[in-house]
Amino acid sequence: MRQLQGIAVSEGVAVAKAYRLAEPDLSITEREGIEPSAEKQRFHDAIANAKVQLEKIRDYAISMVGEEEAEIFSAHLLVLQDPDFHAAIEGEIAQNTQAEKALQKIAQQFIDLFSQMDNEYMRQRAADIEDVTRRILACLLGKILPDVSQIDEEVVLIAYDLSPSVTAQLNKQYVKGFITTIGGRTSHTAILARTLQIPAVVGVKEAETIAHGEMVLLDGASGQLSINPSEEAQREAKERMAVQAEREKQLQQFVEKESVTADGAHIELAANIGSVQDVDAVLKVGADGVGLFRTEFLYMDSTALPTEEQQFELYKAVLEKMNNKPVVVRTLDIGGDKHLEYWQLPKEENPFLGQRAIRLSLANEEIFVTQLRALLRASQYGNLKIMFPMIATMQELRQAKAILQREHDALASEGIAIGKYEVGIMIEVPSAAILADVLAREVDFFSIGTNDLIQYTFASDRMNEATSYLYEPFHPAIIRLIEQVASSAHKHGIWAGMCGEMAGEELALPVLLALGLDELSMSASAILRTRENLSKLNKKVLQQQVDKLLACESAEQVKDWAKQVYN
Ligand code: PEP
Ligand code: MG
């Protein structure tokens, strides 16, 4: 058995034979004696051919993933039939250039043009042009592009990269997972994998060493791959897959249901996102909103600080897609373990205790202001809630709010329309939890970030294996802090949620209900099972037992309390 590691992009376990996607050779051989009218005809035949293929793919995608997801192929068809694109290529052909070369040259000009655009949506069109060009070129060369819809046995697909058009054709019945050599969490392919709920690991540099037909065990949650795993490991994985498939089917009934407990208490079940594209998966599970948009990913995916205009387009797109459901956007949270290549920060002895998140924004006001202006301008397109990360004191909160208000007034005086929005803070530094009753007077909401709150409460690095025994969400120290935050919020008439990993933990649900949280934000893939569990729990009964919960002395006792109420 061999172990490989990649980037986990879509949860789930898969075990099946490797299927290497063979890419046809699309290199162009130069031809002499070009006859422009014949070349033009070849080009038009190729377009007609590609159109038939694309229409077939679009219809198949609609039946597999629905109208909205299949829209990408309508975009491809538009590119394919774009008159400017045709005219430019025909112009090249008229200069005695063979059709393949004319196509390549003009397509590259279009790709360059689109990839340099300010608007994220337009930049993504460059990928569409690339995809469509490959198809036309294959038609011109008489080559066949891989047709994954023909796969009729269970496989794990191995490819250098998968284009969106190939990914959307994957039939879940046979393609149990896929592995690519390149890609990242926010690549198109990764997003589609999550939407289709196909386990996937990308960025596996050694993927080429996996031979066609070798057995592969893939874990889409950890990014681990086992090549030729033992019989025992295969059997175990197959059992997990069967349970997984049955469970997924069962949970679909909760997509349209309200997020309520057995005694009718509504708890907002929201999702965490890192990009506009992640919204598709959020809509697919019928989440009640976005509870945490980690905007640092926009900065991390760029090669320079994103401009106000670029950010405005992205925030607007998320708000519009969410169609008036709440969207909590967290302002930039870098520092600690999150870095930007183009913004080198001074080296610190203890980066997690250093100038990260709001501290960095307050110290670099022009960068903060750019983000706030983009958010304020986008506010009229939906239900926006602006959230400041790592607030530790009232002074920091007031300073951040004063800058926000100043920019609000400046935009208003420029005549720019601003919608309604809430302002809240993350509670992830113990001082903020302790001061919750004071801070609650000046915000609209709290969202508890347990990932950081736990590490700062126990003074135990969230990445350090050696002290991980201290990193304990169920510890009474954390339970008491959550209780204090929720009750302080309610005393002042504001809502309190949680967006750290604890919010999506199955065993934490009864605890968080008893403590009175109003909203839980988690990965989209955890929403449906949480909604199902919620429907089985009685909030009133849980709250009657909260004294017992608060009297626990250890994490084990808290877990026992949770297990007993689940039964
Ligand atoms: C948290 O700290 O719980 C949180 C949600 O923020 P992040 O994980 O991005 O630090
Ligand atoms: Mg945090």
Side-chain angles (χ1 to χ4, degrees):
M1 184 177 79
R2 244 162 58 239
Q3 301 271 19
L4 300 177
Q5 181 71 42
I7 304 163
V9 294
S10 181
E11 275 182 36
V13 175
V15 62
K17 275 195 269 178
Y19 183 102
R20 291 199 68 89
L21 207 59
E23 288 290 327
D25 177 8
L26 295 182
S27 48
I28 304 166
T29 15
E30 211 151 319
R31 277 183 290 115
E32 298 288 323
I34 297 302
E35 179 61 54
S37 64
E39 283 305 292
K40 224 162 113 182
Q41 189 54 48
R42 284 185 63 232
F43 173 62
H44 282 287
D45 290 348
I47 293 283
N49 215 335
K51 184 166 176 266
V52 173
Q53 290 180 11
L54 267 177
E55 282 169 346
K56 212 172 105 201
I57 294 172
R58 183 193 53 191
D59 294 346
Y60 182 75
I62 290 174
S63 70
M64 297 294 289
V65 291
E67 292 272 354
E68 199 175 331
E69 295 301 325
E71 254 174 34
I72 182 165
F73 301 110
S74 304
H76 283 194
L77 278 160
L78 282 178
V79 172
L80 185 74
Q81 295 167 102
D82 183 76
D84 292 340
F85 189 48
H86 286 198
I89 293 168
E90 282 171 17
E92 269 302 309
I93 293 175
Q95 319 264 325
N96 291 335
T97 310
Q98 72 185 83
E100 293 88 340
K101 295 228 164 193
L103 168 71
Q104 216 171 30
K105 180 175 171 191
I106 300 300
Q108 197 53 50
Q109 285 173 4
F110 274 68
I111 291 165
D112 291 345
L113 185 73
F114 278 83
S115 11
Q116 281 156 19
M117 286 190 179
D118 247 6
N119 180 312
E120 160 80 9
Y121 176 83
M122 297 310 273
R123 276 203 306 275
Q124 282 183 17
R125 301 285 69 79
D128 292 338
I129 301 170
E130 219 169 322
D131 210 333
V132 171
T133 304
R134 272 187 75 246
R135 186 165 301 282
I136 308 171
L137 188 59
C139 291
L140 275 169
L141 296 169
K143 300 276 172 71
I144 296 168
L145 290 180
D147 186 356
V148 287
S149 63
Q150 297 296 315
I151 297 173
D152 58 359
E153 59 171 348
E154 291 197 353
V155 298
V156 167
L157 212 60
I158 319 280
Y160 178 73
D161 189 19
L162 287 177
S163 63
S165 60
V166 173
T167 314
Q169 288 178 75
L170 299 181
N171 183 344
K172 253 183 95 168
Q173 193 186 346
Y174 300 119
V175 178
K176 294 295 161 194
F178 70 76
I179 297 165
T180 60
T181 310
I182 62 165
R185 257 201 83 75
T186 54
S187 59
H188 246 115
T189 311
I191 292 144
L192 269 169
R194 286 195 285 277
T195 310
L196 289 160
Q197 294 189 330
I198 294 181
V201 178
V202 305
V204 182
K205 291 194 192 70
E206 306 90 337
E208 273 110 274
T209 64
I210 308 170
H212 188 84
E214 267 191 309
M215 221 40 197
V216 179
L217 198 166
L218 168 166
D219 185 339
S222 67
Q224 251 183 21
L225 308 175
S226 310
I227 317 301
N228 292 324
S230 68
E231 290 288 327
E232 166 85 18
Q234 285 187 40
R235 202 176 38 248
E236 237 175 64
K238 281 198 173 139
E239 278 166 22
R240 276 170 70 191
M241 279 162 76
V243 172
Q244 208 172 277
E246 187 47 38
R247 188 87 184 99
E248 253 174 49
K249 223 191 284 164
Q250 226 182 12
L251 284 176
Q252 284 308 304
Q253 59 173 307
F254 287 93
V255 172
E256 309 252 304
K257 291 211 171 130
E258 209 196 322
S259 307
V260 281
T261 59
D263 56 330
H266 177 84
I267 306 293
E268 197 87 348
L269 293 187
N272 294 351
I273 61 167
S275 68
V276 183
Q277 292 86 344
D278 284 351
V279 176
D280 293 341
V282 176
L283 294 172
K284 193 142 192 240
V285 294
D288 302 321
V290 167
L292 171 64
F293 181 1
R294 288 182 163 103
T295 59
E296 56 272 19
F297 288 112
L298 313 179
Y299 291 72
M300 288 157 92
D301 284 345
S302 289
T303 48
L305 285 168
T307 63
E308 179 183 320
E309 203 53 36
Q310 286 169 345
Q311 293 191 60
F312 164 71
E313 290 292 343
L314 291 167
Y315 302 144
K316 176 173 175 258
V318 172
L319 287 161
E320 284 184 336
K321 275 183 154 200
M322 287 306 293
N323 196 15
N324 274 324
K325 285 185 178 177
V327 176
V328 180
V329 182
R330 175 172 78 181
T331 61
L332 184 59
D333 179 9
I334 54 160
D337 61 335
K338 298 174 197 157
H339 308 285
L340 300 178
E341 287 196 355
Y342 52 84
W343 185 12
Q344 291 300 327
L345 299 169
K347 205 162 166 42
E348 295 175 305
E349 283 291 323
N350 292 299
F352 272 107
L353 302 180
Q355 206 176 39
R356 60 173 286 209
I358 196 70
R359 302 169 186 184
L360 204 56
S361 291
L362 294 176
N364 294 275
E365 219 179 287
E366 64 299 342
I367 293 174
F368 191 36
V369 163
T370 303
Q371 182 168 38
L372 294 179
R373 282 177 62 95
L375 281 167
L376 289 165
R377 284 174 54 203
S379 60
Q380 56 170 319
Y381 297 97
N383 184 354
L384 173 69
K385 297 169 198 297
I386 300 174
M387 177 160 75
F388 301 127
M390 289 273 296
I391 291 284
T393 65
M394 182 63 108
Q395 283 66 32
E396 280 178 342
L397 169 62
R398 287 194 178 142
Q399 212 184 326
K401 277 183 67 177
I403 298 172
L404 179 66
Q405 188 59 49
R406 191 189 68 207
E407 295 310 314
H408 180 127
D409 296 343
L411 283 170
S413 68
E414 287 168 39
I416 292 170
I418 302 171
K420 278 202 184 124
Y421 57 91
E422 286 187 2
V423 180
I425 56 171
M426 289 202 66
I427 303 281
E428 47 188 347
V429 181
S431 63
I434 295 163
L435 287 172
D437 61 330
V438 177
L439 295 168
R441 294 186 205 132
E442 304 204 8
V443 290
D444 300 311
F445 67 91
F446 288 148
S447 184
I448 305 174
T450 44
N451 307 346
D452 278 315
L453 185 61
I454 299 168
Q455 78 164 346
Y456 293 133
T457 302
F458 292 109
S460 167
D461 187 335
R462 67 197 253 192
M463 328 265 231
N464 190 333
E465 269 298 309
T467 61
S468 61
Y469 71 97
L470 283 167
Y471 195 89
E472 182 44 87
F474 288 88
H475 196 280
I478 301 300
I479 302 303
R480 287 176 187 214
L481 286 178
I482 299 171
E483 195 279 332
Q484 192 169 326
V485 172
S487 60
S488 300
H490 296 157
K491 219 181 295 163
H492 291 277
I494 65 167
W495 62 271
M498 178 180 282
C499 59
E501 289 304 306
M502 186 182 186
E505 273 196 43
E506 208 154 355
L507 197 56
L509 185 62
V511 175
L512 304 178
L513 283 181
L515 298 175
L517 290 184
D518 307 288
E519 180 243 28
L520 300 173
S521 191
M522 57 199 75
S523 81
S525 55
I527 296 273
L528 295 179
R529 82 164 143 69
T530 309
R531 193 172 277 160
E532 181 190 40
N533 286 334
L534 198 62
S535 71
K536 295 177 187 160
L537 292 166
N538 186 312
K539 187 174 173 182
K540 268 202 206 85
V541 172
L542 291 171
Q543 292 198 311
Q544 280 159 10
Q545 300 181 42
V546 77
D547 288 346
K548 252 198 199 157
L549 174 63
L550 292 171
C552 289
E553 288 176 2
S554 65
E556 285 62 42
Q557 283 184 9
V558 173
K559 286 182 194 167
D560 286 344
W561 180 95
K563 283 179 197 153
Q564 150 259 315
V565 296
Y566 250 135
N567 293 330

